[in-house]
Amino acid sequence: MRKFSKLSTHSTHSAVGPLRPVAPKAARTSARRTTVAAAALLAAAGLTLTACGGGNGDGDKKKPVVEVSTEAEAKQAATVLDTPFKKPDLVLTDTHGKKYDLRERTKGKPVLLYFGYTNCPDVCPLTMSNIAVAKKDLLRKKAVTKAQLDQLQVVFVTTDPERDTPKELGKWLKAQDPEFIGLTGDFATIQASARTVGISIEPSKKLKNGKIESMHGTQVVAFSPKTDAGYVVYNGQDTRAEEYAQDLPKIIKGQNP
């Protein structure tokens, strides 16, 4: 098992385009599908923290340092956790303006959970589009039945609730997939829930040039219908539609991809 030492949980992306951090050599040359403990994901979350729509920021002043032990295959999209996350105890407002209890409404169902925002120029729409394309591809190839696919709950939680009203969020998600679930509400509540699954987000802020900068992790967390635990993680900005399509039949059944 390879060990990565002292990976800082912080990275930024500039206005001219996302800059992807280079992983340590050990990560690039490792041998098998990634299997990590929950603590290790905190490092991964920091490495994909994205600043959308703004310039270079000061970033997160607090940079936790963790020791990461992992066995990885660089070309595998999925990260299967040794210690799964509990589903966030999160109650927000859906796109219809109604209360939505994440744990209650998704109990016993496969879930893909993503934190992002509708004004994101690149990573967020790409991530949701890839999942939407994967769903359509599964039906086209008859890899799953419509009934099985209907069990999958794709939940998009905004990191920019001031601008992402239920109406705006609903309109944006409808263009991606009408079945996607959008949630908005109090930022502090959203930020705290994201942290419980190893995802770092920061409040949106207006820069001197007038642009809005929003920092957020790009992970998609898959929850098992068998245990309701978050046991698989994808890096949204790097995972392709065909990779989701390959894994989702197993995710829907609560199996490891």
Side-chain angles (χ1 to χ4, degrees):
M1 182 172 289
R2 299 179 185 275
K3 177 173 285 188
F4 304 162
S5 61
K6 298 184 178 180
L7 295 183
S8 170
T9 63
H10 174 70
S11 175
T12 61
H13 293 240
S14 68
V16 297
L19 301 178
R20 295 180 182 177
V22 178
K25 183 177 181 182
R28 298 196 304 269
T29 59
S30 51
R32 289 178 288 277
R33 176 181 293 272
T34 305
T35 304
V36 297
L41 187 62
L42 295 176
L47 288 173
T48 52
L49 193 66
T50 303
C52 296
N56 292 327
D58 293 332
D60 189 355
K61 301 298 182 181
K62 299 178 181 179
K63 299 182 180 181
V65 175
V66 299
E67 294 288 330
V68 181
S69 296
T70 181
E71 293 181 355
E73 182 177 336
K75 292 184 179 181
Q76 293 288 357
T79 299
V80 181
L81 304 181
D82 283 337
T83 306
F85 291 117
K86 289 185 178 179
K87 188 176 292 180
D89 186 8
L90 185 61
V91 180
L92 292 172
T93 302
D94 67 15
T95 55
H96 302 290
K98 298 181 179 180
K99 183 179 76 170
Y100 188 97
D101 186 321
L102 181 65
R103 284 185 176 177
E104 179 183 303
R105 297 286 291 275
T106 64
K107 184 177 181 180
K109 297 181 180 180
V111 177
L112 295 182
L113 178 65
Y114 182 76
F115 291 83
Y117 68 112
T118 65
N119 284 281
C120 176
D122 40 39
V123 178
C124 301
L126 176 63
T127 299
M128 302 311 290
S129 176
N130 282 338
I131 295 173
V133 169
K135 287 180 59 183
K136 292 178 181 178
D137 193 46
L138 287 174
L139 285 179
R140 182 177 60 83
K141 293 181 178 180
K142 298 182 180 180
V144 297
T145 66
K146 181 65 165 59
Q148 287 175 321
L149 192 59
D150 285 345
Q151 289 294 308
L152 179 66
Q153 308 294 293
V154 181
V155 182
F156 181 97
V157 181
T158 182
T159 60
D160 184 20
E162 288 192 12
R163 291 187 291 174
D164 283 344
T165 63
K167 182 179 179 180
E168 289 299 315
L169 190 55
K171 183 170 66 174
W172 187 83
L173 285 173
K174 186 177 181 180
Q176 299 281 352
D177 185 323
E179 295 181 353
F180 284 173
I181 299 162
L183 301 179
T184 187
D186 176 66
F187 177 81
T189 300
I190 293 170
Q191 183 183 51
S193 67
R195 286 174 176 167
T196 66
V197 290
I199 297 174
S200 177
I201 64 175
E202 296 179 4
S204 299
K205 60 182 180 181
K206 190 172 184 178
L207 304 179
K208 292 181 180 179
N209 61 10
K211 293 182 178 181
I212 302 295
E213 179 184 78
S214 182
M215 300 282 287
H216 63 90
T218 64
Q219 289 72 31
V220 176
V221 184
F223 291 82
S224 168
K226 294 180 178 179
T227 64
D228 282 319
Y231 72 116
V232 179
V233 177
Y234 297 88
N235 184 355
Q237 68 180 16
D238 291 327
T239 307
R240 304 187 307 274
E242 53 265 37
E243 292 173 317
Y244 285 119
Q246 178 180 320
D247 290 356
L248 281 178
K250 292 184 178 180
I251 295 292
I252 289 171
K253 296 177 182 178
Q255 300 171 351
N256 285 354

